């Protein structure tokens, strides 16, 4: 990308899109375009085609998606498959019609089989059955990867796909029923501390293992891969380190200053037992994360207190 290239961020309000939007001007990219959901409904093919025809972006970060944690994915599978298929199909095809120079598609580590060997190599893609709690979302993301690869093969486009591990940070969703675990923990432990509660509820058994990447590092990786990667293979983006949900609860309790106990609720789903990415390809390409887990959680907690807690108090 040149500093004056026209860059479109689809999903600039979301966790990853907003991090890319913060990073681009820091690096001197000034010709960035984006639209709110109200201005452009990405599930509407005609609107998307009109937007591309008008703006003619040269580079596209496809970070728009319907996302959520384990409960949202299992409760609303129709919304997850419909919205994600529609959004990505419209954007990828409009990019082709308007000769976009390069597109980066954000997938997810849940595209890999539920019980595949750990750490998960890119080669395990499509080698087994998916985790049932997020199958609809995973199928949509798999279709997105295949669409990028198919367009590259048939039309000679340059569409790359990256598979992030579990992400967290500024602009996360802190709704307790639909969020991912880290955002949920930040809110639950903070509120328990404020209310002086003795216990915090942790879903499932606490045994599943997950890997976490701070979203500013994810944005940095996206920009790096846009400039340095042109392969057909998908690329895992993570840290290559995982921890159990119980251990994660311990860290968030420490960061938020909560001194009570955890109450595990086995009636809530555990999801996939382990999700740890093999990041050798990413490291070989020359990229590594900068933010440690506890440091990232501290930053995310500061953001939460400043933007969510303070807003709630002033609205009250
Ligand atoms: O982050 P999470 O919702 O999604 O849950 P997945 C991770 C683990 O944390 C599960 C446990 O074992 C949950 O049972 N957990 C414990 C909690 N307490 C809580 C809580 O209060 N809230 C939440 N949300 N979890 C998602 C997929 O899977 O990963 C998406 O559903 C996406 O498709 C995303 O791929 C990256 O890691 O299980």
């Amino acid at each position: 990308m040149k500093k004056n290239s026209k860059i479109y961020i689809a999903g600039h309000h979301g966790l990853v899109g907003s991090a890319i939007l913060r990073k681009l001007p820091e690096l001197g990219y000034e010709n960035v375009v984006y639209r709110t959901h109200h201005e452009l409904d990405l599930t509407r093919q005609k609107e998307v085609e009109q937007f591309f025809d008008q703006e003619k972006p040269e580079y596209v970060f496809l970070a728009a998606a319907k996302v959520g944690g384990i409960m949202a994915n299992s409760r609303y599978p129709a919304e997850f498959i419909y919205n994600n298929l529609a959004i990505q199909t419209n954007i990828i095809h409009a990019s082709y019609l308007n000769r976009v120079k390069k597109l980066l598609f954000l997938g997810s580590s849940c595209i890999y089989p539920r019980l595949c060997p750990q750490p998960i190599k890119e080669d395990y893609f499509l080698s087994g059955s998916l985790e049932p709690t997020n199958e609809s979302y995973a199928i949509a993301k798999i279709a997105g990867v295949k669409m990028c690869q198919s367009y590259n093969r048939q039309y000679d486009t340059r569409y790359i796909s990256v598979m992030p591990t579990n992400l967290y940070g500024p602009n996360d969703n802190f709704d307790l029923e639909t969020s991912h675990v880290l955002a949920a923990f930040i809110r639950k432990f903070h509120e328990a501390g404020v209310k002086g509660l003795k216990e915090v509820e942790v879903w499932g058994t606490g045994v599943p293992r997950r890997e976490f990447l701070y979203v500013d590092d994810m944005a940095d990786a996206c920009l790096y891969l846009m400039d340095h990667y042109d392969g057909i293979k998908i690329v895992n983006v993570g840290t290559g380190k995982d921890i159990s949900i119980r251990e994660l609860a311990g860290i968030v309790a420490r960061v938020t200053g909560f001194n009570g106990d955890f109450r595990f609720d086995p009636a809530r789903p555990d999801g996939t037992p382990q999700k740890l990415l093999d990041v050798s390809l990413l490291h070989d390409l020359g990229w590594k994360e900068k933010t440690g887990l506890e440091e990232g959680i501290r930053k995310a907690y500061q953001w939460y207190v400043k933007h969510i807690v303070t807003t709630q108090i002033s609205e009250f």
Side-chain angles (χ1 to χ4, degrees):
M1 293 186 295
K2 295 201 192 92
K3 298 293 178 196
N4 63 351
S5 299
K6 191 174 246 192
I7 303 167
Y8 170 48
I9 308 174
H12 73 284
H13 265 316
L15 180 63
V16 181
S18 62
I20 295 175
L21 183 59
R22 285 194 298 276
K23 180 124 316 210
L24 282 168
E26 270 173 33
L27 299 179
Y29 297 101
E30 276 162 6
N31 197 359
V32 183
V33 286
Y34 46 86
R35 292 287 187 278
T36 61
H37 181 72
H38 180 69
E39 291 163 339
L40 170 61
D41 180 347
L42 294 171
T43 65
R44 303 277 162 196
Q45 185 180 28
K46 214 184 184 102
E47 289 186 31
V48 175
E49 287 186 358
Q50 274 167 356
F51 165 75
F52 271 77
D53 193 40
Q54 215 172 47
E55 288 290 348
K56 300 275 180 218
E58 295 168 86
Y59 294 88
V60 173
F61 288 96
L62 207 179
K66 174 150 185 82
V67 298
I70 194 162
M71 287 310 292
N73 267 274
S74 34
R75 271 192 200 145
Y76 312 113
E79 289 176 35
F80 276 81
I81 197 159
Y82 168 70
N83 285 288
N84 288 308
L85 282 174
I87 292 168
Q88 71 206 27
T89 302
N90 292 340
I91 294 177
I92 294 169
H93 192 64
S95 297
Y96 158 65
L97 294 178
N98 290 279
R99 297 190 174 80
V100 161
K101 288 184 180 151
K102 195 162 178 183
L103 173 146
L104 182 144
F105 172 66
L106 275 133
S108 164
S109 56
C110 69
I111 59 148
Y112 292 112
R114 169 182 161 81
L115 296 176
C116 71
Q118 307 284 324
I120 307 171
K121 293 182 194 299
E122 286 89 353
D123 293 339
Y124 302 158
F125 183 45
L126 291 180
S127 63
S129 309
L130 299 164
E131 156 62 32
T133 53
N134 54 37
E135 195 182 50
S136 297
Y137 177 71
I139 294 273
K141 290 291 182 182
I142 289 169
V145 170
K146 281 288 158 196
M147 195 161 166
C148 289
Q149 293 175 340
S150 303
Y151 276 54
N152 291 346
R153 266 220 313 272
Q154 187 176 342
Y155 301 136
D156 214 18
T157 48
R158 291 164 75 206
Y159 300 163
I160 59 169
S161 301
V162 302
M163 300 307 121
T165 191
N166 288 30
L167 304 171
Y168 67 98
N171 293 318
D172 212 338
N173 164 22
F174 290 92
D175 176 89
L176 290 181
E177 284 300 313
T178 58
S179 65
H180 290 97
V181 63
L182 230 165
F185 278 180
I186 287 177
R187 176 166 170 189
K188 282 183 180 180
F189 287 108
H190 171 81
E191 290 183 354
V194 171
K195 292 176 188 156
L197 303 181
K198 293 202 163 45
E199 282 189 335
V200 164
E201 183 196 69
V202 174
W203 294 356
T205 59
V207 177
R209 300 185 69 84
R210 295 288 184 273
E211 174 188 4
F212 297 93
L213 180 69
Y214 188 62
V215 73
D216 284 7
D217 284 342
M218 182 65 211
D220 192 57
C222 288
L223 265 64
Y224 185 84
L225 292 169
M226 187 66 119
D227 271 344
H228 295 90
Y229 184 69
D230 258 328
I232 192 89
K233 210 169 154 176
I234 58 179
V235 184
N236 289 341
V237 182
T239 62
K241 290 164 237 157
D242 66 349
I243 61 167
S244 72
I245 296 301
R246 179 190 285 272
E247 288 167 317
L248 181 74
I251 301 178
V252 181
R254 187 161 64 239
V255 167
T256 55
F258 172 77
N259 293 317
D261 296 324
F262 312 140
R263 180 168 33 87
F264 294 95
D265 178 4
R268 297 279 193 164
D270 264 344
T272 194
Q274 188 179 17
K275 220 173 4 174
L276 171 64
L277 295 177
D278 182 315
V279 284
S280 345
L281 172 57
L282 185 66
H283 288 178
D284 290 348
L285 290 165
W287 190 90
K288 206 171 180 301
E289 84 282 359
K290 295 188 184 75
T291 318
L293 182 58
E294 185 150 344
E295 180 194 355
I297 294 175
R298 282 190 192 283
K299 285 185 180 178
Y301 181 49
Q302 277 165 10
W303 188 91
Y304 171 78
V305 171
K306 188 165 172 207
H307 292 89
I308 307 287
V309 180
T310 318
T311 320
Q312 280 165 349
I313 292 167
S314 60
E315 275 172 6
F316 183 74

